[in-house]
Amino acid sequence: MRRTTAWMFMFVCVAVAGCSKPESGHGSTTTTAPGAIAFPDSWPYPSADTGVTAAHGMVATDAPIATHVGATVLRNGGNAVDAAIATAFALAVVLPAAGNLGGGGFLVVHMGDGREAALDFRERAPGTATRDMYIGANGHADDRSITGPLAAGVPGSVAGLWEAHERFGSRPWAELVAPAIALAEQGFVVDSDFAGAIRGDSARLAHFPASAALFLPHGRVPLAGDRWRDPELAAVLRRISASGQKGFYTGRTAELIAAEMRRVHGIMTEKDLAAYQAKWRDPIEFTYRGHKVISMPPPSSGGLTLALVAHELARFDVRAAPWHSPREINRFAEAMRRGFAVRNGLLGDPDFVTIPTARLLSQQYADSLSKSIAEGHATPSASIHVGGGATAEKQQTTHFSVMDGQGGAAALTTTLNGGFGSAVVVPGTGLLLNDEMDDFAAEPGRPNMFGLVQGEANAIAPGKRMLSSMTPTIVLGDDGKPMLVTGAQGGPTIITTTYQIMSNVIDYDMNIGTAVSAPRLHHQHLPDSLYYERGGLTKATLDSLTAMGYATSPQSPTGDLGYAASILRRNGVVHGASDPRVHGSAEGY
Ligand code: GLY
């Protein structure tokens, strides 16, 4: 079932005539020269946020309890991968909307001894999945890819964490699973984020008896201050602790998942579970302004699209344009537009689709895209064709960053896809199944509910991994050691957020707190809108962008453009920042 992707038929046709004089940085009284960044007065987060500092190592996540678990592993002598494993298991308990055992993700590592690797533990379509399985009676895809048993891909998280430990772990496996078992068994105090997340998805969760019993005890959303326990999840974790990968994909847990699938007419089987393997992939590597960048290859689109955007912008002297001036935004928006056109049309699971990675990573290819950028003008997306396609992924992912004291780093992004995934808790397990099947193109070549057309490269097939945007990324410093560990939550905005953190640090000398707090932008080719966070651009800047031809679309500054827990090592000091858009934390030693 290998298919050749039609990159050779790619053509870029640009309707905008010629290049006009570059815009000046006028129109904003709050953007400033590199090194002295000021945010608009309307922006809710501080520009002087320096983050948390430490001498040796750091963990930054979206959930303080999980951060503390990871930082404790570092303090006890564990390496970055050990800390990442313990943190990921803890997130499965304390952040059930996104942390998971029933989902999947990606890990990028740079070990203290210089070894680098990228691990794919993305979910796979079950063995009897079909290309048109979500097409309903009216001939169009319905929401069975979002809620309910058919939405779930075969989970990859436990296999990924096991595989990471087999290759890079230095502490005993059981020691890394133990904090999650204790959290699930003994419980923890619910905060307003935890309660709010359940409230937001309570109607979906109420639909499934085991989900309602777990998340809506006594028929109500837990209150901040309540104690939360998940003893059945603790039992699943105990089997994982005792038997590793096999403790999840075979035996009691696999039987319970398969039995529930049979009962509710899902299609995932014990055979699908037993066959699941995480895969080591060659990391995407490229250079950005002299720094080596290591990121995630397909089936995540993250690393390749990040490289495309970065390479497109290489032709410009980014620092010469003040941060968030209309001129800088114009260039960035056009690079995103073109990068996503390629991403949406050509990328998919590399085990099923031939992806011309070397060509896409070449400067020559990026130049062929960026030469049509007409400064001072928005290029209509309709005039850029790269095999067709667009993206409409869910946003409820979680990313965390780890740096150890031995020169090692781990960037891990994991998800159930939408908040609480498919909303299906498997009875007897306390674990949620993902709704990752929705990241496939359910109707290739036809507009989905958002009016978007997704590409054939990402069509459903048995055993295939769905395309992702997760972008766990490590940037090396001049000494060849990890300088920046970053990545994000937020569907397709993950990629553009990751670029902005990288550029904020490297191009504009921001500290990590400022880089993460800074207002963000996003363009994904289709819809043809430049997303910005409300309050993040001045009226004068917005007017300039409108004059260039941009349709600007305000988004909530509390997370519509994602969260990006990140770590920066600068001048021998480690700085960590969780994202102020969520109540996470950074903790070092
Ligand atoms: N489910 C979101 C992503 O994989 O990018």
Side-chain angles (χ1 to χ4, degrees):
M1 272 289 284
R2 234 175 140 78
R3 215 173 60 76
T4 302
T5 301
W7 62 266
M8 60 285 285
F9 303 126
M10 186 209 93
F11 66 100
V12 176
C13 107
V14 178
V16 175
C19 290
S20 70
K21 198 165 156 248
E23 295 288 301
S24 73
H26 76 277
S28 170
T29 54
T30 54
T31 50
T32 59
I37 298 298
F39 300 157
D41 293 341
S42 50
W43 186 239
Y45 309 118
S47 61
D49 184 349
T50 51
V52 172
T53 60
H56 306 290
M58 183 77 67
V59 177
T61 86
D62 295 340
I65 297 174
T67 304
H68 184 63
V69 166
T72 303
V73 171
L74 291 183
R75 265 188 217 101
N76 291 341
N79 64 32
V81 169
D82 293 323
I85 292 166
T87 303
F89 277 122
L91 283 166
V93 183
V94 302
L95 192 68
N100 65 83
L101 302 183
F106 299 98
L107 167 70
V108 169
V109 298
H110 174 102
M111 298 303 289
D113 61 10
R115 285 178 294 164
E116 288 168 353
L119 181 61
D120 159 10
F121 50 100
R122 183 68 160 165
E123 298 91 327
R124 299 173 73 198
T128 55
T130 59
R131 185 182 185 276
D132 296 330
M133 62 189 278
Y134 300 114
I135 305 296
N138 68 357
H140 295 296
D142 56 34
D143 70 356
R144 288 171 298 155
S145 63
I146 297 171
T147 298
L150 276 181
V154 183
S157 289
V158 176
L161 300 177
W162 175 251
E163 190 61 43
H165 186 262
E166 287 282 282
R167 185 156 170 193
F168 293 119
S170 73
R171 303 296 302 177
W173 170 253
E175 182 180 307
L176 305 177
V177 188
I181 295 174
L183 285 164
E185 231 157 39
Q186 293 157 28
F188 56 93
V189 176
V190 167
D191 63 15
S192 57
D193 286 349
F194 189 95
I198 294 174
R199 190 175 308 110
D201 270 294
S202 57
R204 292 173 72 233
L205 293 164
H207 199 67
F208 303 97
S211 310
L214 179 61
F215 289 107
L216 303 167
H218 315 296
R220 66 159 175 83
V221 173
L223 300 175
D226 286 356
R227 195 155 193 92
W228 170 265
R229 290 188 183 85
D230 191 347
E232 290 179 338
L233 190 65
V236 170
L237 285 161
R238 281 197 183 281
R239 291 193 280 273
I240 293 168
S241 173
S243 309
Q245 174 166 344
K246 288 200 174 85
F248 182 84
Y249 292 92
T250 61
R252 184 74 184 138
T253 304
E255 281 164 22
L256 286 166
I257 295 172
E260 179 63 358
M261 288 292 108
R262 282 193 297 274
R263 193 182 71 79
V264 295
H265 308 297
I267 59 172
M268 196 193 309
T269 63
E270 278 169 278
K271 194 171 159 206
D272 289 325
L273 288 159
Y276 186 88
Q277 290 294 334
K279 290 196 171 185
W280 294 103
R281 309 268 186 197
D282 292 335
I284 293 294
E285 295 185 1
F286 63 98
T287 302
Y288 185 71
R289 315 241 186 252
H291 293 278
K292 180 175 171 184
V293 181
I294 312 156
S295 193
M296 196 66 217
S300 181
S301 63
L304 265 177
T305 313
L306 180 72
L308 275 172
V309 171
H311 285 160
E312 285 180 77
L313 290 167
R315 66 165 53 223
F316 302 109
D317 179 3
V318 169
R319 290 177 68 103
W323 176 78
H324 270 200
S325 61
R327 185 181 182 192
E328 190 246 325
I329 293 171
N330 172 215
R331 291 167 172 174
F332 178 41
E334 295 309 312
M336 289 190 279
R337 184 199 305 278
R338 288 159 177 78
F340 267 80
V342 174
R343 179 245 186 246
N344 298 339
L346 302 189
L347 303 187
D349 182 345
D351 296 338
F352 286 72
V353 177
T354 301
I355 298 171
T357 302
R359 179 173 157 81
L360 296 181
L361 274 178
S362 69
Q363 187 60 49
Q364 192 185 12
Y365 185 85
D367 288 347
S368 76
L369 297 175
S370 65
K371 73 180 182 207
S372 65
I373 295 177
E375 289 208 75
H377 293 276
T379 308
S381 286
S383 68
I384 298 176
H385 306 275
V386 191
T391 184
E393 289 158 16
K394 292 289 181 300
Q395 302 246 344
Q396 296 304 321
T397 294
T398 189
H399 168 82
F400 64 88
S401 299
V402 183
M403 206 179 269
D404 64 29
Q406 303 138 40
L412 193 152
T413 315
T414 184
T415 191
L416 289 163
N417 196 23
F420 302 92
S422 61
V424 174
V425 167
V426 176
T429 69
L431 75 84
L432 277 157
L433 292 176
N434 65 83
D435 65 336
E436 217 70 63
M437 292 295 285
D438 193 57
D439 272 354
F440 279 118
E443 261 187 285
R446 299 196 60 155
N448 66 6
M449 69 175 114
F450 304 103
L452 305 176
V453 183
Q454 300 203 55
E456 277 292 340
N458 191 30
I460 301 171
K464 190 174 176 182
R465 285 152 145 93
M466 54 297 287
L467 190 64
S468 170
S469 292
M470 291 187 261
T471 318
T473 298
I474 298 171
V475 182
L476 303 187
D478 294 338
D479 57 3
K481 293 184 179 159
M483 175 185 90
L484 175 65
V485 190
T486 190
Q489 173 262 22
T493 71
I494 290 172
I495 303 169
T496 50
T497 290
T498 303
Y499 173 79
Q500 286 167 95
I501 304 288
M502 197 168 83
S503 173
N504 287 350
V505 166
I506 294 174
D507 297 319
Y508 293 103
D509 301 329
M510 292 188 204
N511 64 50
I512 197 65
T514 307
V516 170
S517 302
R520 297 199 272 262
L521 305 160
H522 176 71
H523 202 299
Q524 59 182 41
H525 184 235
L526 294 173
D528 192 348
S529 287
L530 177 61
Y531 296 178
Y532 70 98
E533 291 179 292
R534 196 175 290 109
L537 295 179
T538 62
K539 183 176 179 315
T541 303
L542 284 166
D543 288 347
S544 295
L545 293 168
T546 303
M548 290 180 194
Y550 288 102
T552 55
S553 172
Q555 307 290 310
S556 164
T558 59
D560 278 359
L561 299 193
Y563 316 138
S566 302
I567 300 170
L568 175 67
R569 183 175 55 87
R570 199 175 249 169
N571 302 324
V573 178
V574 184
H575 305 257
S578 64
D579 201 305
R581 297 162 182 81
V582 67
H583 301 120
S585 68
E587 185 178 322
Y589 80 106

